[in-house]
Structures are given as C-alpha cells and as structure tokens.
Amino acid sequence: MVIFTIILGLILFIVGTLLKSNASPMSKYSAFFKVAAALIIALGLFSSMFKQIDAGNVGVKSLYGSVEKDILQSGLHIINPLVDVTNFDIQTQNYTMSAIHSEGAQEGDDAIRVLSNDGLEVVIDLTVLYRISPNDAPKIFKQIGINYADKIVRPVTRTRIRDNAVYYDAVALYSTKRNEFQQRIFKSIEDDFKSRGLILEQLLIRNINLPASVKTTIESKINAEQEAQKMQFVLQKEKQEAERKRVEAQGIADYQRIISTGLSDKQLQYEQIKAQKELAASPNTKIIFMNSKGNAPVIISDK
C-alpha cells in the first residue's frame, strides 16, 4: 500500500512539474499538483508506520526480500513504513485427512492408505493438531513460506504413518496395537515438526478400515469369544447351584442323623401323647385313633 501511495504522489509531482514548464493555461495548477503529491506521500508514509497484529498472531517483517529475525507480537506497533509484515497464526490448527468427502482439508477421499506387516491395505483417517512456534515464524517464512500445511504437515504425516505401519499386522492395528501405533507415529512426526518450527500437540486416529474379508473374520472371532465367555458364565452358575444343592442335602442328612440318634422310644411316645391331647382339645376333632402297647387300636369317641 505504501508503495502505491508513493508512486501516485510521484506521478502527481511529475505532472505538476510538467505543467509549470509549459506555457499553458494549466500551468497555474502546477503548485496544486505538487502540494497534493507531497500530502499523499506523507499520508501514505504516516499510515504505513502503524501496524496492528491481532490476538493469536505474530508478524514477520521483511524488507525487500530480507526477513528480519525479530517478530511483532499482538498489539499496535510503529514500524519502518517500507517494511512488509506477514501475519502468522500461532493458535492451534488442525489438518484432517479423511475418506469422507468434504470432511478433510482436501476435497474427496484423502484417507491414508498403508500396507501392514501382513501385506494388507489399511485405510486410516487422521487429524493432526499443531501450531507454529512463535519464535520460529521468521524461519518458516524464509524457508517454507505461508503454505506450510501443504508443504510440511501433510507430506510428513502421511510418510511417517506409512513408515511405521509396516511394523504391525492389520488386525493388531485395528485392535490391540492401536494406541501403541498412535504413540509411535506421534514421536516420529513430533521430531520432524520441531526441526521445522512446528509444534505437534495431538495426533488423533479417527478410524482404521480393514479389508471386508479381514473385518468379517475379526467379527466372527469376537462373536465366538463372547459366546465362550457366556458359556463360562453359565457353567459357573451351574456349579454354584450344584454346590448349593449339595450343601442343602448334607444339611438334611445331618439333621436326620441327629434326630435318629438323639431321640429315645419313650421320648417319642411322650411327644405323641402331647400331640394327641392337642387334637382332642380341638373343636373339630370327633374321633381319635390310638395304638395301645400291643399295637391294638383304641377308639375314643365323644359321642
């Protein structure tokens, strides 16, 4: 912008000078053009001295292609009007590579296809959370440029995932080794980013898709394991029930043994007489049958 105002001011100054040198009716406006040129140049230089950096950004200064090492923090600054300032976002950014159209950073199917240790193709959806190191913004601007996402984030991430996927088979990536794989690629990508002025915050494996045949095999295995666990539960329950019945039977046997060994004939006869008295006292009892000592029945009637 400052270059434009300076050029415009110089044009007006040249026009004013040419008008003064010519003996024409317009020569009287020569002074006006010169004053206007001076005002435009002064206004352009003055306005270019002030530069505002928004929150979450830093400014990188460059003068005729030479990048300065110091940066401008957020706020209002007074700078050389000839210096060009490029803003860099230092907040958390994300780069998503997904098989779902219009969901990732690029249109279409942008998922990462890798070969596992057992030679199967695995499709990985991934999101990278990262940010720019503020002090490294001048280096990024000088060595990479403002399109660092396409030049560094995307190719480095895809390459490191492919390099590390070959250490795992497809089923392990899908199930037991997923967290280990994520930590491994995080470390390798973090080192690459750091050397280029980027800070890797988090690596999110959103989805891992296996070939249909492998997925069917895994699902069958999971169903078989669930059935086995269910059967173990049933067997355990049956064992507990059998143990309960055994304890109950043992208790009944112990009770019968105690009764048979602990009661005499006289005591049993006494208990029988007591029971018969209670029956005789009942208003509903009319006839009572008893056995005598000779086992002959004795009938007592209240009629």
Side-chain angles (χ1 to χ4, degrees), residues 94-97 125-129 202-206:
N94 75 83
Y95 194 96
T96 297
M97 290 164 278
D125 286 4
L126 187 79
T127 294
V128 183
L129 298 181
Q202 199 168 2
L203 200 64
L204 305 175
I205 296 180
R206 295 148 39 94

Side-chain angles (χ1 to χ4, degrees), residues 8 14 72 84 95 114 149 203 211 225 236 258 262 275 288 299:
L8 179 60
I14 293 172
L72 299 178
D84 187 22
Y95 194 96
V114 302
L203 200 64
E225 291 176 351
Q236 183 68 24
I258 294 171
I288 300 175
I299 303 175

Side-chain angles (χ1 to χ4, degrees), residues 94-271:
N94 75 83
Y95 194 96
T96 297
M97 290 164 278
S98 172
I100 301 176
H101 292 258
S102 73
E103 187 177 68
Q106 294 191 6
E107 292 290 335
D109 185 354
D110 194 36
I112 306 170
R113 285 166 170 78
V114 302
L115 288 178
S116 62
N117 189 32
D118 48 0
L120 295 175
E121 183 183 66
V122 179
V123 181
I124 300 176
D125 286 4
L126 187 79
T127 294
V128 183
L129 298 181
Y130 69 98
R131 58 186 172 87
I132 290 178
S133 173
N135 294 329
D136 290 328
K139 182 179 73 173
I140 294 174
F141 182 62
K142 184 177 182 179
Q143 298 180 357
I144 303 172
I146 59 175
N147 55 340
Y148 47 84
D150 292 329
K151 288 184 177 180
I152 300 298
V153 176
R154 176 183 173 83
V156 167
T157 301
R158 297 176 77 92
T159 300
R160 291 308 179 192
I161 288 178
R162 290 191 178 101
D163 291 344
N164 288 278
V166 297
Y167 296 102
Y168 304 89
D169 57 56
V171 176
L173 284 176
Y174 185 77
S175 55
T176 58
K177 298 294 185 178
R178 180 167 178 163
N179 290 335
E180 179 184 318
F181 173 64
Q182 181 168 298
Q183 293 173 1
R184 181 168 184 159
I185 58 178
F186 180 93
K187 181 60 179 176
S188 60
I189 295 173
E190 182 184 35
D191 294 338
D192 284 340
F193 276 20
K194 186 176 181 180
S195 65
R196 292 171 171 83
L198 301 176
I199 300 173
L200 179 62
E201 293 185 348
Q202 199 168 2
L203 200 64
L204 305 175
I205 296 180
R206 295 148 39 94
N207 193 23
I208 296 180
N209 289 321
L210 302 178
S213 59
V214 178
K215 188 177 294 186
T216 302
T217 302
I218 293 175
E219 291 174 353
S220 299
K221 181 180 177 182
I222 292 174
N223 291 334
E225 291 176 351
Q226 290 177 347
E227 288 297 328
Q229 292 176 357
K230 181 179 178 181
M231 184 58 63
Q232 289 179 357
F233 174 77
V234 172
L235 292 175
Q236 183 68 24
K237 185 177 180 181
E238 292 296 332
K239 288 181 179 179
Q240 291 175 351
E241 180 64 18
E243 180 66 18
R244 185 192 67 80
K245 290 181 178 179
R246 189 191 66 78
V247 172
E248 182 181 7
Q250 183 65 41
I252 294 174
D254 292 342
Y255 171 76
Q256 291 176 345
R257 180 177 54 81
I258 294 171
I259 293 297
S260 63
T261 58
L263 296 177
S264 64
D265 292 338
K266 291 183 177 181
Q267 186 173 0
L268 290 174
Q269 187 177 8
Y270 174 73
E271 293 295 334

Side-chain angles (χ1 to χ4, degrees), residues 285-299:
T285 303
K286 302 301 182 182
I287 299 175
I288 300 175
F289 296 91
M290 298 190 309
N291 289 329
S292 64
K293 291 182 179 180
N295 293 328
V298 178
I299 303 175

